[in-house]
């Protein structure tokens, strides 16, 4: 099916690490993405990973990709209250369009 | 570098009416995609335009149509509006086959 799956909610204490998980659908997807959406706003690209990589680190963000299990994760180190938002993973399948398939989103709540 | 802009920001229509949403691509981008994001869900791909032609479509009925202009800006038209068309409509532009698309802030459409 076309469902990219994410857990709905994650609550963490400020300063801890957050790990948001995603299971995507197509093992031939070329790129996998993480987007952040704050209330009432559009999508902000956080990071992306090419399918031939298994890890990518960008400052506080670490992306892990397990192609065998079609599993993607986003780790946010030293989580801050400003990280509270909805996080979407997305996959891009091979083909002649740039179509992204998004998950349902994980709401991250950071408490002091 | 000018990012993706969308207009209007908000719009209220009634059932059966028609609506046109507009998107200006980021400078240097030649491909435009449109997504519908219903409340509490991830964005769903509507269609993509390249060289002023539709070159990919998601699971949306024909009353969703679009245009791309020579300057790569785009319109999304929705006829015979239904209550379920209420959503945030996101436009994304990219260079063909580039891994990253830039998203606009969205137009929030409410159908009463």
């Amino acid at each position: 099916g076309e469902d990219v799956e994410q857990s709905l909610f994650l609550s963490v204490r400020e300063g801890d690490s957050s790990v948001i998980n995603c299971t995507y659908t197509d093992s031939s997807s070329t790129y996998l993405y993480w987007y952040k959406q704050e209330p009432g706003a559009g999508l902000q690209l956080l990071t992306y990973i090419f399918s031939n990589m298994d890890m990518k680190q960008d400052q506080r963000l670490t992306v892990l990709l397990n192609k065998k299990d079609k599993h993607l994760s986003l780790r946010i180190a030293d989580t801050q209250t400003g990280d509270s938002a909805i996080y979407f993973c997305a996959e891009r399948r091979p083909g002649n369009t740039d179509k992204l398939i998004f998950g349902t989103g994980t709401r991250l709540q950071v408490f002091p | 570098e000018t990012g993706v802009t969308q207009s209007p920001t908000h719009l209220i229509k009634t059932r059966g009416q028609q609506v046109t949403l507009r998107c200006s691509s980021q400078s240097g981008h030649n491909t435009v995609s449109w997504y519908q994001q219903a409340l509490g869900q991830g964005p769903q791909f509507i269609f993509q335009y390249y060289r002023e032609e539709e070159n990919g479509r998601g699971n949306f009925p024909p009353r969703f149509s679009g245009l791309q202009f020579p300057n790569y800006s785009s319109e999304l038209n929705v006829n015979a509006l239904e209550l379920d068309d209420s959503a945030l409509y996101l436009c994304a532009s990219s260079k063909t086959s580039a891994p990253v698309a830039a998203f606009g802030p969205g137009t929030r459409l409410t159908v009463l």
Side-chain angles (χ1 to χ4, degrees):
Chain A
E2 281 220 340
D3 293 342
V4 175
E5 296 182 351
Q6 299 179 239
S7 52
L8 290 179
F9 190 76
L10 177 65
S11 181
V12 299
R13 187 179 300 277
E14 191 174 19
D16 287 351
S17 292
S18 308
V19 179
I20 303 172
N21 294 301
C22 170
T23 302
Y24 60 98
T25 63
D26 192 334
S27 58
S28 63
S29 287
T30 53
Y31 293 94
L32 290 303
Y33 302 82
W34 284 104
Y35 285 88
K36 176 183 179 182
Q37 187 174 41
E38 299 187 67
L43 295 175
Q44 175 192 352
L45 176 66
L46 290 176
T47 187
Y48 67 98
I49 187 168
F50 187 47
S51 58
N52 69 350
M53 300 169 64
D54 52 23
M55 188 184 87
K56 181 178 180 180
Q57 189 156 359
D58 184 0
Q59 300 183 332
R60 293 191 297 125
L61 305 179
T62 302
V63 177
L64 296 179
L65 175 60
N66 180 330
K67 281 190 70 174
K68 174 177 170 291
D69 295 336
K70 291 181 283 188
H71 185 263
L72 182 73
S73 69
L74 173 69
R75 178 177 179 270
I76 305 172
D78 186 25
T79 313
Q80 302 298 306
T81 55
D83 295 324
S84 295
I86 300 176
Y87 291 79
F88 293 95
C89 69
E91 61 176 329
R92 179 169 159 180
R93 297 174 182 170
N96 66 346
T97 75
D98 301 336
K99 172 183 178 180
L100 298 179
I101 309 294
F102 284 86
T104 51
T106 299
R107 181 177 296 275
L108 174 64
Q109 182 176 14
V110 183
F111 57 93
Chain B
E1 183 180 78
T2 306
V4 179
T5 60
Q6 293 186 242
S7 62
T9 307
H10 296 87
L11 200 52
I12 299 175
K13 292 285 189 178
T14 56
R15 263 188 315 177
Q17 285 189 310
Q18 178 267 342
V19 70
T20 297
L21 310 182
R22 295 178 174 83
C23 171
S24 291
S25 303
Q26 182 168 310
S27 177
H29 288 184
N30 57 7
T31 300
V32 175
S33 301
W34 286 91
Y35 291 81
Q36 180 196 65
Q37 186 180 17
L39 194 62
Q41 298 184 22
Q44 300 285 318
F45 176 78
I46 302 174
F47 44 51
Q48 177 177 301
Y49 277 80
Y50 172 64
R51 290 186 174 180
E52 302 176 46
E53 291 194 359
E54 183 183 298
N55 76 332
R57 190 177 185 94
N59 189 24
F60 282 82
R63 60 190 186 84
F64 285 78
S65 64
L67 288 171
Q68 186 184 30
F69 300 101
N71 67 352
Y72 306 121
S73 65
S74 177
E75 287 182 355
L76 164 65
N77 299 290
V78 187
N79 292 323
L81 283 166
E82 301 177 359
L83 297 180
D84 285 349
D85 296 333
S86 294
L88 180 68
Y89 288 85
L90 296 162
C91 168
S93 73
S94 60
K95 294 181 184 178
T96 304
S97 300
V100 175
F103 277 83
T107 294
R108 185 161 299 280
L109 172 65
T110 302
V111 182
L112 302 176

